[in-house]
Amino acid sequence: MNKIKIMAGALIGCAMAFTACSDDLSHNPTLQTPETFTLNTPAYSTSNIDLETTDSMRLTWSQPDYGFPAAAQYEVQVSLNDDWSVSTEQAAADESGKTKPTYATVSDPTGVCSTSVIGSTLAKGIQTIGGWGEDDIPAKKDVKVRVMSVYAKDTIYSNVINLTVVPYFVKDVVPMGWYLIGSCIGDGSWGGEIGPNMIPMYAIAGQNYDKKTGEGKFSWTGYLTTEGFKLKKEADKWDDQIGQKKGDDGTLEYDADGNPVLQKNEGGSGNITVKEDGYYTITLDTKALKKIKDKDVISKDIMTITKLDKAPSVFEQIYCTGDFDSWKVSGKMTPVHTKTGLKNHDWYFVLDASDGDTTAKFTTAGWSTNWGSESFPYGTGTSGGGNIAVAKGKYKVIFNDITGQYVFIAQ
């Protein structure tokens, strides 16, 4: 198969050859109501576009003839068979799952007459429309592309062009909170392994997460000491981190209520230190955090550390069990917080389901307390909840016995 790789920079020359937005002006402009406009056919449309290796595809179009250069908003849409009746958003809103999408939006809104469609975004869009699993991806596929224009509450569409693409399977982004690491987390070593040394914060039930980035609101509940900790975005890097602000004299700063004053991406910040040992809930809005500048103080609507009034029960052992071990309750989970003086409520376990799909639950030895859910690869288990349907693969499972929150991290 003859495949090509489209790079955004390589297409600049082609894009300049296309028709740009009209700059015709009228001395007395009158709003017209065009019925369509022209999406230019790119030079690469006759090639097989390998979406897995394509960074982006440049598209350009002429401005609809509104009678003057109107500030319209444009979005690129894709369909498999030129059917534009049901969007992926409309289909997702049907909780019964009976509504099937026929087209997807594959670009962010733009106010200019050009954009770049990301290869992975297009691949995910047509995968959703086609309802393809990992083993169903076709070797080659013709797709239909158009542009939507919205101006003055009026929506019109461009002509439809054809692109031939080589799809690939795009896995859903798993919402992953920043990692907790420090002297009162895990074994206290500040090491780089998820489980023994650090853990991700958990997704919160009922919250919506960005489908492209996995960002949103996360939480963790557990025992903290005055020895301190930090948060970092990536397990193996410190480029993005959260610490505690220091005063001019180097002492840690606290607000009027005695809470640590938190700071984003200040490498010289101190360890986040609560004033007394105890149980706390930490919440973090990673999407909102992205919008503030480095070294800025983090407001309470972005991150909070709240002390619990009551200490939860401590379990000596938690198990991960399911079809993978014939429900023998043989999967002993390993405690995360093992440093002397800490109280453990997070557990990890390596689940090898490489041979096929399976199910899982979390439980104590005698099933007196157990947690289940119908959500995968993350969710919140509840007492008497359903079996977690685990997809084929190998995972490091992280579980919190206070909240029931869990995440399956593909290995």
Side-chain angles (χ1 to χ4, degrees):
M1 181 185 297
N2 178 32
K3 299 190 289 187
I4 65 168
K5 177 178 179 180
I6 308 294
M7 301 297 290
L11 292 172
I12 293 176
C14 295
M16 292 178 67
F18 296 145
T19 303
C21 289
S22 172
D23 58 358
D24 292 339
L25 295 173
S26 171
H27 294 294
N28 297 295
T30 300
L31 177 61
Q32 300 180 28
T33 55
E35 295 183 354
T36 188
F37 59 102
T38 302
L39 169 61
N40 299 304
T41 301
Y44 58 80
S45 64
T46 58
S47 304
N48 296 330
I49 306 166
D50 188 347
L51 297 180
E52 188 168 13
T53 58
T54 294
D55 289 343
S56 60
M57 292 155 284
R58 187 77 168 171
L59 293 173
T60 66
W61 52 90
S62 62
Q63 179 182 283
D65 186 10
Y66 292 112
F68 54 90
Q73 287 289 306
Y74 305 98
E75 290 182 338
V76 178
Q77 299 174 338
V78 63
S79 173
L80 292 177
N81 52 14
D82 211 10
D83 182 348
W84 309 94
S85 57
V86 182
S87 70
T88 51
E89 289 79 9
Q90 290 172 314
D94 179 7
E95 296 182 357
S96 71
K98 295 179 180 180
T99 303
K100 304 301 180 184
T102 63
Y103 75 95
T105 298
V106 292
S107 74
D108 292 327
T110 179
V112 297
C113 297
S114 64
T115 194
S116 292
V117 176
I118 307 302
S120 60
T121 302
L122 179 54
K124 181 62 176 178
I126 61 176
Q127 174 182 310
T128 302
I129 299 167
W132 302 328
E134 191 165 4
D135 298 326
D136 305 324
I137 303 297
K140 185 172 69 172
K141 192 71 177 178
D142 284 347
V143 298
K144 307 301 180 181
V145 180
R146 73 177 185 181
V147 177
M148 177 181 72
S149 172
V150 179
Y151 180 72
K153 298 182 180 180
D154 184 40
T155 301
I156 61 174
Y157 302 93
S158 74
N159 59 299
V160 175
I161 66 171
N162 185 82
L163 297 178
T164 302
V165 301
V166 179
Y168 73 103
F169 186 74
V170 183
K171 294 184 178 180
D172 289 331
V173 174
V174 179
M176 290 286 288
W178 284 35
Y179 292 90
L180 293 163
I181 186 170
S183 299
C184 60
I185 301 295
D187 59 6
S189 68
W190 296 81
E193 185 177 353
I194 300 171
N197 313 138
M198 59 181 170
I199 54 170
M201 296 180 70
Y202 300 95
I204 302 172
Q207 290 290 325
N208 293 319
Y209 295 89
D210 190 292
K211 294 181 180 180
K212 296 179 181 178
T213 64
E215 292 172 341
K217 293 183 179 180
F218 298 84
S219 70
W220 173 82
T221 298
Y223 192 79
L224 296 174
T225 71
T226 57
E227 293 175 288
F229 66 98
K230 279 191 173 184
L231 285 89
K232 59 177 180 174
K233 183 177 181 179
E234 298 179 73
D236 58 348
K237 297 178 182 178
W238 283 95
D239 296 348
D240 293 297
Q241 61 175 279
I242 297 173
Q244 187 166 347
K245 191 175 187 298
K246 292 181 179 179
D248 293 338
D249 61 356
T251 58
L252 296 174
E253 291 191 4
Y254 295 85
D255 64 18
D257 297 321
N259 300 308
V261 177
L262 305 173
Q263 196 170 16
K264 175 187 176 183
N265 290 347
E266 169 52 79
S269 65
N271 298 337
I272 303 170
T273 306
V274 295
K275 287 200 167 182
E276 60 180 353
D277 298 355
Y279 285 96
Y280 294 82
T281 293
I282 302 172
T283 62
L284 174 64
D285 186 338
T286 63
K287 193 171 186 178
L289 182 67
K290 277 189 68 175
K291 298 178 181 179
I292 68 173
K293 297 178 181 178
D294 289 351
K295 299 188 179 181
D296 278 357
V297 168
I298 300 170
S299 61
K300 291 183 179 179
D301 61 328
I302 296 177
M303 181 171 169
T304 59
I305 303 174
T306 306
K307 196 171 190 300
L308 274 61
D309 295 330
K310 185 179 179 181
S313 300
V314 176
F315 296 97
E316 292 186 5
Q317 182 63 60
I318 296 293
Y319 296 81
C320 182
T321 188
D323 285 333
F324 66 90
D325 70 346
S326 301
W327 298 96
K328 294 178 181 178
V329 193
S330 61
K332 276 190 174 184
M333 302 193 77
T334 303
V336 170
H337 309 286
T338 56
K339 183 179 177 179
T340 301
L342 300 184
K343 301 180 189 297
N344 181 69
H345 293 278
D346 295 284
W347 306 80
Y348 68 96
F349 176 74
V350 176
L351 195 164
D352 191 347
S354 301
D355 293 335
D357 298 348
T358 188
T359 60
K361 264 191 170 182
F362 307 103
T363 184
T364 54
W367 288 92
S368 59
T369 306
N370 64 85
W371 301 261
S373 170
E374 296 180 0
S375 179
F376 176 84
Y378 65 93
T380 299
T382 58
S383 177
N387 299 338
I388 302 168
V390 181
K392 177 181 177 180
K394 188 175 182 179
Y395 305 91
K396 179 168 283 189
V397 188
I398 312 292
F399 171 71
N400 183 286
D401 66 36
I402 300 176
T403 63
Q405 293 167 291
Y406 61 85
V407 61
F408 286 67
I409 305 172
Q411 302 296 289

